[in-house]
């Protein structure tokens, strides 16, 4: 027997939400670049008695932008009729961390891995290079 494709299927109607990285469908969340999938039936999975698993798990992924994941995750909970609780905010804070900053966007987040294994800051590396150049220019003029 042949399977017949439904040519009237509207892909746009199947998408409940989309941002720059994530798509929320009736089946779950999917990362647009990697194809990483979070099934709808597993979205409210917990670690231990209270903490939500996905905010903690996704914090380990270097390709996951915290604010975009959080936005899509919260929309998915709303669309799926899953209630949020105080442990959700705690899970995001434990997973991604929060900088003491009032600015919005990515600057408001710090990955736990970056706190434990801080990288050399780019501006510190850049600040050294102009100083050496300046010293060479001064030495050439003398």
């Amino acid at each position: 027997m042949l399977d017949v494709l439904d040519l009237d299927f509207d892909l746009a109607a199947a998408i409940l939400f989309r941002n720059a990285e994530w798509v929320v469908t009736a089946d779950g969340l999917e990362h647009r670049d990697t194809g990483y999938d979070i099934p709808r039936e597993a979205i409210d999975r917990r670690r231990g008695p209270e903490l939500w698993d996905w905010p903690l798990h996704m914090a380990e992924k270097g390709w996951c932008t915290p604010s975009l994941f959080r936005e899509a995750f919260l929309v998915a909970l709303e669309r799926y009729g899953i209630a949020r609780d105080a442990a959700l905010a705690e899970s995001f804070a434990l997973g991604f961390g929060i900088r003491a900053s009032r600015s919005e966007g990515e600057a408001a987040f710090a990955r736990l891995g970056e706190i434990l294994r801080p990288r050399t800051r780019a501006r510190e590396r850049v600040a050294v290079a102009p100083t050496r150049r300046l010293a060479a220019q001064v030495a050439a003029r003398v």
Side-chain angles (χ1 to χ4, degrees):
M1 169 138 199
L2 294 174
D3 288 331
V4 178
L5 295 175
D6 181 3
L7 299 178
D8 292 329
F9 179 75
D10 184 5
L11 182 60
I15 296 173
L16 304 175
F17 173 82
R18 175 191 329 222
N19 65 24
E21 287 189 6
W22 293 91
V23 174
V24 177
T25 67
D27 297 328
L29 283 83
E30 183 177 340
H31 190 263
R32 295 173 66 177
D33 293 334
T34 65
Y36 194 90
D37 181 51
I38 300 174
R40 178 181 182 160
E41 59 273 3
I43 197 167
D44 60 350
R45 191 170 65 193
R46 304 289 178 127
R47 247 184 224 188
E50 291 188 18
L51 294 177
W52 292 66
D53 187 46
W54 290 110
L56 298 171
H57 182 75
M58 296 311 295
E60 300 168 1
K61 309 295 183 197
W63 46 262
C64 179
T65 305
S67 61
L68 295 175
F69 171 70
R70 184 177 186 278
E71 177 185 39
F73 191 80
L74 296 179
V75 167
L77 293 179
E78 178 186 319
R79 299 289 172 94
Y80 303 155
I82 299 171
R84 297 192 265 179
D85 59 19
L88 181 59
E90 185 178 351
S91 300
F92 272 103
L94 286 173
F96 291 106
I98 300 175
R99 289 191 185 142
S101 169
R102 294 190 183 271
S103 64
E104 295 296 321
E106 294 314 300
F109 292 98
R111 294 183 188 281
L112 190 56
E114 291 174 0
I115 294 168
L116 298 176
R117 292 182 305 270
R119 296 183 204 162
T120 304
R121 293 184 181 201
R123 71 172 175 246
E124 290 172 357
R125 289 191 306 261
V126 172
V128 173
T131 304
R132 289 181 185 157
R133 264 196 306 254
L134 183 58
Q137 290 171 356
V138 170
R141 289 184 187 168
V142 175

